[in-house]
Amino acid sequence: GRDERYRSDKFSVLEKKSVRKRIQLSQGHFYGKPGWISGKVLGPDGKPVKGAKITLLSKPEAQRKVSASTDKDGKFEIKNLIPGSYELKASKSRIGEDTSKVTVRSGRGSRVNFRLRKPK
């Protein structure tokens, strides 16, 4: 028999409409849940350092820059971090500095402690 698939007496064209919708995707949609880094900064004498500054030396590309400073017990916490590899620096003028690398996992915290020393 003949192939009837291509025979048609009528055809119609549907009007094409485009619909624009704004979709807001959270960072978590792409990277997983935010994580955090917490820890403590000690001085050369082993005592907690108040007011030490924690900065990011390296971070995932999409992570905005953040920093923190230590409380009276030398403790700090940096929240809402995209999962990935970070390098942090702790420093306090006239006391010293220290660096550390840490990996942040989705929805989890990482701990890192610093021991400040005078730069050589």
Side-chain angles (χ1 to χ4, degrees):
R2 287 190 357 227
D3 192 348
E4 299 288 319
R5 276 186 297 181
Y6 300 106
R7 288 186 58 199
S8 175
D9 296 324
K10 298 181 217 164
F11 66 92
S12 62
V13 176
L14 296 171
E15 186 181 341
K16 194 173 180 183
K17 291 183 179 176
S18 71
V19 179
R20 289 180 77 145
K21 285 194 174 185
R22 193 170 188 85
I23 300 172
Q24 193 73 32
L25 296 174
S26 67
Q27 277 187 346
H29 184 81
F30 297 105
Y31 304 106
K33 292 179 182 168
W36 63 93
I37 298 171
S38 61
K40 198 169 190 177
V41 177
L42 303 175
D45 57 3
K47 293 182 180 169
V49 177
K50 178 184 174 185
K53 187 167 180 161
I54 314 297
T55 53
L56 302 181
L57 296 179
S58 66
K59 60 183 181 53
E61 197 175 318
Q63 175 64 49
R64 62 185 175 83
K65 284 192 174 184
V66 289
S67 62
S69 58
T70 55
D71 64 13
K72 62 180 175 54
D73 298 318
K75 294 179 181 173
F76 71 92
E77 186 172 57
I78 305 173
K79 296 180 180 178
N80 294 319
L81 295 174
I82 291 173
S85 296
Y86 290 80
E87 185 174 10
L88 290 85
K89 176 179 163 183
S91 60
K92 174 104 188 226
S93 60
R94 296 193 295 276
I95 294 180
E97 59 185 46
D98 190 16
T99 59
S100 185
K101 291 182 179 177
V102 65
T103 299
V104 172
R105 304 205 188 290
S106 178
R108 302 189 45 192
S110 296
R111 284 194 61 78
V112 59
N113 294 318
F114 294 96
R115 186 78 177 250
L116 301 186
R117 292 178 180 80
K118 291 271 185 203
K120 291 175 182 167

